[in-house]
C-alpha cells in the first residue's frame, strides 16, 4: 500500500482523526461533516484511509477542494488482502505512523460524534495526565432510531444477548429505556470486570499507539467470540496497566449494522475474520 495525497504544511495539529472507509461514500460524507463540526479551539486534521475503493476515491475528488485539514490516503490491496479486523488493524497502524499529531482519534465511516466530542476528551486527558481516555456512546439502529432493546446487539444468540444485557445492566453500563451505553475499562483485580470501549470512543496518545499498536492476528476463537481490533487493543492496554480515564459523556453516536452486529448480511467473499 502506498500513500496518495494528504494534507501538507499548515500549523501543527493537536489531533489526527482517522477514518477507514470502503464502498460507503454516502456514510463517509456524514462522517466528514461530523468531524468538520467539532468545536475545538485547536488545529486538528481528518485523515481518510480509502481501502482500495475507486468509487470512494472519486467521491472525495468530486468534493475537492476538501475542507481545510482533510486529507486522504488510497491504500491498495494485494491478492490476499480481504476486509476484516486484521486489515482494519493494519490500516489503523499505518495511519498512526503517518500522523503528525500527538493525539489520535478514530471515527468509523458509519458513526458520528457530538460536536464537543474531541474537546471533552482533550479536557479529560489534560486533567488526568492519562495517555488513554474515552467517552461513552449513544446507540442507534441502522434507520437512526434509538436502540432500546434489552439485548446485547453483538450476541448472535438472542438468549445470550439478553443474558449479557442483564449483566451489563447490573454493572451500570446500560439501563432500560435509554440508548446510552456507559462503557468501562476496569483495571486488573476488579471482579467480573467490564472492559468494553469502542474504537470511536478513544482518544489515544500517538506515542502510546506506537508502543502498543493494533494487533492484526486473529484466529477461530476470535471469530467465534466476535473479538475485534478494539477488544484486543483494550486487552493490551489493560495487561500493561495503562491508566485510563473517561469523560462520562455519551458523545459517540454508534450506528448498528456493521460487520460485528449484522448477522443477516449475506456471505461476503471480500471479508474474513482471519487472513
Amino acid at each position: 500500500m502506498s500513500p496518495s495525497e494528504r494534507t501538507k504544511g499548515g500549523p501543527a495539529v493537536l489531533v489526527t482523526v482517522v477514518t477507514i472507509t470502503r464502498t460507503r461514500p454516502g456514510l463517509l460524507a456524514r462522517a466528514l461533516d461530523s468531524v468538520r463540526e467539532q468545536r475545538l479551539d485547536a488545529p486538528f486534521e481528518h485523515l481518510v484511509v480509502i481501502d482500495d475503493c475507486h468509487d470512494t476515491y472519486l467521491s472525495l475528488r468530486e468534493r475537492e477542494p476538501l475542507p481545510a485539514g482533510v486529507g486522504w490516503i488510497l491504500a491498495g490491496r494485494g491478492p490476499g488482502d480481504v476486509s476484516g479486523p486484521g486489515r482494519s488493524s493494519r490500516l489503523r497502524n499505518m495511519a498512526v505512523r503517518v500522523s503528525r499529531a500527538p493525539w489520535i482519534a478514530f471515527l468509523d465511516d458509519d458513526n458520528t460524534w457530538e460536536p464537543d466530542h474531541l474537546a471533552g476528551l482533550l479536557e479529560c486527558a489534560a486533567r488526568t495526565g492519562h495517555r488513554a481516555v474515552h467517552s461513552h456512546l449513544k446507540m442507534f439502529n441502522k434507520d437512526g432510531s434509538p436502540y432500546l432493546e434489552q439485548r446485547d446487539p453483538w450476541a448472535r444468540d438472542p438468549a445470550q444477548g439478553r443474558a449479557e444485557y442483564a449483566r451489563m445492566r447490573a454493572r451500570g453500563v446500560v439501563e432500560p429505556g435509554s440508548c446510552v451505553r456507559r462503557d468501562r475499562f476496569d483495571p486488573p483485580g476488579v471482579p467480573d470486570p467490564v472492559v468494553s470501549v469502542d474504537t470511536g470512543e478513544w482518544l489515544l496518545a500517538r506515542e502510546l499507539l506506537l508502543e502498543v499498536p493494533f494487533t492484526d492476528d486473529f484466529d477461530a476463537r476470535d471469530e467465534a467470540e466476535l473479538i475485534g481490533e478494539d477488544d484486543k487493543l483494550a486487552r493490551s492496554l489493560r495487561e500493561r496497566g495503562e491508566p485510563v480515564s473517561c469523560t462520562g459523556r455519551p458523545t459517540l453516536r454508534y450506528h448498528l449494522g456493521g460487520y460485528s452486529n449484522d448477522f443477516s448480511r449475506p456471505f461476503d467473499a471480500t471479508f474474513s475474520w482471519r487472513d
Side-chain angles (χ1 to χ4, degrees):
M1 81 184 57
S2 59
S4 184
E5 298 181 10
R6 68 179 297 245
T7 304
K8 296 180 180 179
V13 296
L14 184 61
V15 182
T16 294
V17 177
V18 176
T19 295
I20 299 171
T21 188
R22 175 179 169 84
T23 71
R24 302 196 287 195
L27 291 178
L28 174 61
R30 185 181 67 178
L32 284 166
D33 290 340
S34 177
V35 175
R36 178 177 53 82
E37 293 165 359
Q38 289 298 295
R39 295 194 294 261
L40 185 63
D41 293 329
F44 62 96
E45 66 176 358
H46 191 181
L47 178 58
V48 179
V49 181
I50 306 170
D51 185 7
D52 196 41
C53 179
H54 188 64
D55 287 344
T56 304
Y57 163 78
L58 290 179
S59 75
L60 280 185
R61 296 308 301 259
E62 289 170 357
R63 290 173 64 110
E64 290 184 341
L66 294 171
V70 177
W72 53 267
I73 291 175
L74 179 58
R77 289 191 174 193
D81 289 327
V82 294
S83 300
R87 173 72 174 175
S88 296
S89 289
R90 288 187 286 275
L91 293 179
R92 294 188 197 281
N93 289 335
M94 182 266 291
V96 170
R97 291 193 298 270
V98 304
S99 168
R100 57 194 180 100
W103 293 98
I104 307 289
F106 299 94
L107 180 64
D108 289 347
D109 61 2
D110 55 346
N111 294 332
T112 57
W113 287 331
E114 298 293 344
D116 60 346
H117 177 78
L118 290 178
L121 288 167
L122 284 166
E123 185 279 328
C124 183
R127 174 169 44 82
T128 62
H130 292 168
R131 300 189 298 173
V133 298
H134 67 90
S135 70
H136 290 157
L137 62 81
K138 298 174 185 175
M139 194 174 300
F140 297 88
N141 295 302
K142 200 170 184 178
D143 64 4
S145 60
Y147 180 81
L148 300 176
E149 290 189 48
Q150 296 184 37
R151 179 179 66 83
D152 185 284
W154 295 282
R156 286 191 177 97
D157 178 68
Q160 181 184 358
R162 289 190 293 271
E164 181 62 14
Y165 181 92
R167 174 178 175 262
M168 289 295 101
R169 180 182 179 183
R171 306 291 285 137
V173 176
V174 296
E175 62 181 58
S178 173
C179 67
V180 172
R181 182 179 173 93
R182 299 177 182 85
D183 280 332
R184 295 228 304 272
F185 187 93
D186 290 342
V190 174
D192 191 22
V194 176
V195 183
S196 174
V197 180
D198 184 79
T199 313
E201 294 175 285
W202 282 116
L203 178 72
L204 299 156
R206 178 176 180 268
E207 63 176 8
L208 176 60
L209 284 170
L210 292 174
E211 296 171 12
V212 190
F214 285 90
T215 300
D216 64 359
D217 183 23
F218 292 82
D219 57 24
R221 182 175 180 180
D222 296 324
E223 182 176 13
E225 297 180 1
L226 298 177
I227 302 299
E229 68 270 24
D230 52 352
D231 299 304
K232 290 209 169 187
L233 176 68
R235 290 178 182 181
S236 295
L237 294 175
R238 192 168 183 265
E239 287 170 0
R240 63 182 274 138
E242 186 70 32
V244 171
S245 55
C246 178
T247 66
R249 295 154 61 184
T251 51
L252 169 65
R253 296 173 60 90
Y254 183 95
H255 295 265
L256 295 167
Y259 68 81
S260 67
N261 51 69
D262 184 358
F263 308 125
S264 63
R265 63 174 58 195
F267 174 74
D268 182 356
T270 69
F271 182 92
S272 175
W273 218 271
R274 294 168 283 165
D275 296 337

